[in-house]
Amino acid sequence: MDEERGETPEGEAPSSGYSRRDLGRIAGLSAVALAAPLIVTNQSPSTRVPRPSGWHASDILVIGSGFAGVFAALEAVRQGMSVTLVDKGTVGWSGLSPWASDSRPFDPSIYNRKEWIDNLAINTEWLFNRGWMDIFLDESMEIFDILERWGCHAVRPFERSTVFRGLLEDAGVALVERVMVTSLLQDDTGRVNGALGFTYDDSHAPCAPVRFAARAVISCAGAGAYKSPGFPNWGQTFDGDALAYHAGAWITGKEFHDTHPTFSKDPAASYDGWRWAQTVKGAYVMVGPPEPLMGGLTLGNAVNVSQGRLMRVPGGGPGGEPPPEPGVPRKPSPHEIANRNYVGKGFLARSDLTLDFGGPPEDGSVPEQGFRVGGATAGMGVHKGEGVYCSDYSCGAEGVPGLYAAGDALGSMLCGPLYPGRGFASFGSAIQGRRAARSAADYVRKAPASRVDRAALDRKIEALFAPRVRKEGFSPAWVTQVLRNTMTPLHILYIKDPRRLDGALASIEYLRSRVVPHMVAGDGHQLRVAIEAENMLLNAEMKLRAGLFRTESRGTHFREDYPFRDDANWFCFVVMRKGEQGMVLEKRPLPDAWRPPAAMAYRERYPRVWPGEDVQLQARGIA
């Protein structure tokens, strides 16, 4: 019986927080994840809740060190603020920023602003935030020039980490690495005045609480996914959304999804499909305006599969393009031909750029990866399309003074409900990071100092380390596997039906209420996995509730029972926050000026066709 409970045989020292039997059970849990809860004995529980030592105090705390975090921290210093930057991993290496190689700066001397906006309106099905896109068009060339001055154009994407780190150190930013932030601190009026985290790497010292005192906090914690194989975002688990939600902020964009693929040759190899991002050097520029229809990350493949069409599409290039056939000339698309007309004009006259015209690399350097396979980013939202909701352009969290967000932690809806083509993500993050820092600095200058609620802090520390102290409970690895099994199937996350969504929601609610409070962690790394599982489950409930709430189909949100766009009722963003009885969801209508022209026919507005859409339109008398 003792062995079945996972206890180490007498005289045998455990090699980790779980016994050998527990580790063996975890290794094979995927086959039985839904059938048998994995309850394990914590072989090395903490005998007490560790106490924090000292504070990291500054005017502004920045969480995350990707494009948004680096630009936020450096701009805050320029605004005269003292800055602490904390990262769950290593500065410049965490999240998706090391993979960001594309850029699409808008040069007004060669591009037509109206053409960009009109194309984006069709591609994003009119639901993108035009205010944020105007800011992108105004400031993207400036970001391009700043990155060149910093030396980022002289190195490969992965090598930017050393550039970013040097800039931060030279600016006097205090860097705190390998610390996971788990909650925000607030005074009795709700103003954010710091954060709590912990050191999870206990290979040299026991994991311990880490406290941050700050007059304002900027969340640049990035996006998240459900740790599916095939895409390099395993460290991102919606931490920023969880921090903001529990502080009382509104969250948006959860009904829409990223659809990056992996490839059939080695589908679990997160890095192999991104070799080009590790080798390209210099400024990699997408030439020309975004297309009105093609080039985006849509639900097209998922819909085809749901209709019984496998659609085995070979791919492997930066945009998933198939490798060229030996000896067969490739015929360029009309879009590529038109984009070549920009060469030699404006900033594209420079000789040190790597230009992408919308096709595969011209040197033929597309690796053979087999066919495209969906689900690599299961759970991840559209770049800049999910996260903290801001009702203006200050990057401030509505209703939570002192909290700001930028990049993929900010639900700006820069690109709306689907990503319309490569080149917007990294520069959008940089622009928003800089803007968040300016807003936060202005807030710090005006807001009075506030006191940390020590009793509330002690309660947060006790709750944080409860899995370490608990002697028996659920394995976080099992919880994560059940989450994946529940959320990642095609017919739950992408092809939606209310019965299936309700079923998945019941499972997620059970995990959040009955399992999460009883997870165990034998060391700091397992504690991190437990908190990540909790954050991913919160996100899963958000996605399911938002998917049920929006009763139409648009962008990367497809409801089989509502397979049409409904401008009359759903030309809006969906926002949610923590209420006394659970999640509260609301609509935030968009300006009438952003709507499609009334004289434009439906199919002209929405050229992508959903299965069953035409029948529904005919029944409703919509032309």
Side-chain angles (χ1 to χ4, degrees):
M1 179 64 71
D2 287 345
E3 189 178 23
E4 282 300 314
R5 285 169 55 85
E7 296 179 0
T8 306
E10 186 177 355
E12 181 179 337
S15 59
S16 71
Y18 301 147
S19 72
R20 180 179 298 173
R21 171 60 62 88
D22 289 335
L23 293 176
R25 292 163 73 190
I26 292 171
L29 60 85
S30 61
V32 295
L34 292 176
L38 187 59
I39 299 177
V40 297
T41 300
N42 192 347
Q43 295 297 308
S44 45
S46 178
T47 58
R48 60 182 177 82
V49 175
R51 305 306 302 169
S53 58
W55 289 81
H56 293 277
S58 57
D59 293 324
I60 293 176
L61 172 66
V62 178
I63 304 172
S65 66
F67 271 90
V70 169
F71 271 81
L74 293 175
E75 180 61 30
V77 170
R78 279 191 284 271
Q79 295 290 325
M81 301 288 112
S82 60
V83 180
T84 299
L85 186 150
V86 57
D87 196 288
K88 188 164 71 168
T90 305
V91 169
W93 280 93
S94 297
L96 293 176
S97 286
W99 305 92
S101 58
D102 310 344
S103 63
R104 195 187 290 265
F106 177 82
D107 184 344
S109 71
I110 60 174
Y111 292 139
N112 182 294
R113 191 184 193 98
K114 185 177 183 302
E115 180 185 13
W116 279 53
I117 294 294
D118 289 348
N119 286 3
L120 285 165
I122 296 294
N123 201 320
T124 67
E125 304 192 356
W126 304 88
L127 210 65
F128 73 114
N129 190 313
R130 296 199 181 198
W132 274 115
M133 185 53 68
D134 280 334
I135 293 170
F136 178 92
L137 299 181
D138 289 340
E139 300 183 13
S140 56
M141 273 306 305
E142 184 181 358
I143 299 300
F144 180 90
D145 293 336
I146 289 172
L147 290 172
E148 182 182 35
R149 290 198 304 271
W150 287 355
C152 292
H153 292 171
V155 299
R156 294 174 177 83
F158 274 35
E159 297 167 337
R160 279 194 305 259
S161 60
T162 57
V163 177
F164 285 168
R165 188 182 196 92
L167 291 165
L168 294 165
E169 290 175 342
D170 290 345
V173 175
L175 304 180
V176 180
E177 299 173 283
R178 297 181 71 76
V179 168
M180 182 177 185
V181 176
T182 57
S183 59
L184 298 173
L185 305 181
Q186 295 171 277
D187 66 13
D188 55 5
T189 68
R191 287 185 298 166
V192 171
N193 58 7
L196 171 67
F198 72 103
T199 57
Y200 59 84
D201 186 355
D202 47 12
S203 55
H204 300 292
C207 64
V210 179
R211 301 176 297 183
F212 300 89
R215 306 278 296 279
V217 173
I218 305 175
S219 175
C220 304
Y226 299 143
K227 297 190 177 183
S228 298
F231 196 78
N233 61 349
W234 272 55
Q236 294 188 290
T237 50
F238 313 100
D239 302 340
D241 289 353
L243 293 172
Y245 177 81
H246 290 300
W250 291 93
I251 307 296
T252 193
K254 291 301 179 181
E255 66 269 44
F256 305 116
H257 307 286
D258 179 271
T259 59
H260 271 97
T262 182
F263 304 98
S264 61
K265 182 178 179 182
D266 297 298
S270 297
Y271 303 105
D272 286 1
W274 298 86
R275 293 174 187 168
W276 61 276
Q278 303 173 54
T279 57
V280 64
K281 188 173 183 179
Y284 192 96
V285 177
M286 305 300 298
V287 179
E291 293 189 63
L293 187 59
M294 304 300 293
L297 290 170
T298 71
L299 280 182
N301 287 339
V303 169
N304 282 325
V305 171
S306 75
Q307 299 294 303
R309 299 187 294 271
L310 278 182
M311 302 295 291
R312 293 187 179 275
V313 180
E321 302 92 347
E325 297 182 39
V328 179
R330 193 185 67 83
K331 184 178 180 180
S333 69
H335 183 72
E336 292 177 62
I337 295 172
N339 286 342
R340 293 183 184 279
N341 294 326
Y342 294 107
V343 176
K345 301 175 182 178
F347 82 111
L348 296 176
R350 299 171 39 154
S351 61
D352 58 343
L353 307 179
T354 300
L355 304 182
D356 189 315
F357 299 98
E362 296 188 346
D363 61 2
S365 58
V366 178
E368 176 56 56
Q369 297 291 329
F371 299 102
R372 284 182 280 183
V373 178
T377 57
M380 181 172 154
V382 178
H383 286 309
K384 312 296 167 292
E386 69 170 341
V388 175
Y389 177 75
C390 174
S391 57
D392 54 23
Y393 300 99
S394 67
C395 298
E398 182 178 313
V400 185
L403 177 60
Y404 297 83
D408 281 346
L410 176 68
S412 66
M413 295 297 283
L414 171 70
C415 297
L418 63 83
Y419 198 55
R422 291 153 48 209
F424 292 100
S426 57
F427 279 32
S429 292
I431 289 167
Q432 292 172 1
R434 188 171 64 168
R435 196 174 190 88
R438 292 169 179 169
S439 298
D442 186 57
Y443 169 84
V444 168
R445 295 186 190 103
K446 299 174 182 177
S450 62
R451 297 174 60 87
V452 172
D453 186 334
R454 296 303 181 100
L457 175 59
D458 288 342
R459 290 193 296 270
K460 288 178 180 290
I461 293 174
E462 185 174 355
L464 166 59
F465 281 88
R468 283 288 292 115
V469 177
R470 195 170 292 125
K471 294 182 178 180
E472 185 176 84
F474 295 100
S475 158
W478 174 80
V479 176
T480 300
Q481 187 62 48
V482 176
L483 164 67
R484 287 178 184 157
N485 289 353
T486 303
M487 291 298 297
T488 60
L490 175 79
H491 59 277
I492 300 296
L493 198 60
Y494 305 108
I495 309 300
K496 301 173 186 175
D497 171 89
R499 296 169 301 166
R500 300 193 296 265
L501 293 175
D502 278 328
L505 180 59
S507 177
I508 295 301
E509 287 179 321
Y510 180 88
L511 292 171
R512 291 195 66 209
S513 64
R514 305 282 290 276
V515 174
V516 165
H518 302 287
M519 288 192 293
V520 297
D523 56 33
H525 285 279
Q526 291 168 10
L527 181 58
R528 168 182 165 173
V529 173
I531 296 168
E532 289 177 335
E534 184 175 359
N535 292 347
M536 289 188 289
L537 284 167
L538 171 63
N539 174 271
E541 182 173 342
M542 289 178 177
K543 284 193 172 294
L544 293 169
R545 291 193 180 280
L548 285 164
F549 189 70
R550 184 180 281 275
T551 53
E552 68 153 2
S553 294
R554 191 184 297 263
T556 50
H557 167 70
F558 174 52
R559 286 278 298 263
E560 289 186 306
D561 54 335
Y562 292 96
F564 57 91
R565 291 81 171 179
D566 184 355
D567 291 338
N569 296 298
W570 290 104
F571 194 70
C572 62
F573 298 148
V574 171
V575 298
M576 61 187 67
R577 65 173 175 83
K578 187 176 183 178
E580 293 183 2
Q581 303 299 322
M583 291 183 187
V584 177
L585 284 78
E586 293 181 1
K587 298 180 182 181
R588 295 297 169 88
L590 303 183
D592 287 341
W594 296 3
R595 288 178 176 270
M600 183 180 286
Y602 180 93
R603 193 52 71 201
E604 187 180 356
R605 283 177 271 157
Y606 302 113
R608 299 186 185 100
V609 181
W610 297 114
E613 182 176 23
D614 288 337
V615 174
Q616 287 275 1
L617 294 177
Q618 185 177 5
R620 294 169 184 268
I622 300 175

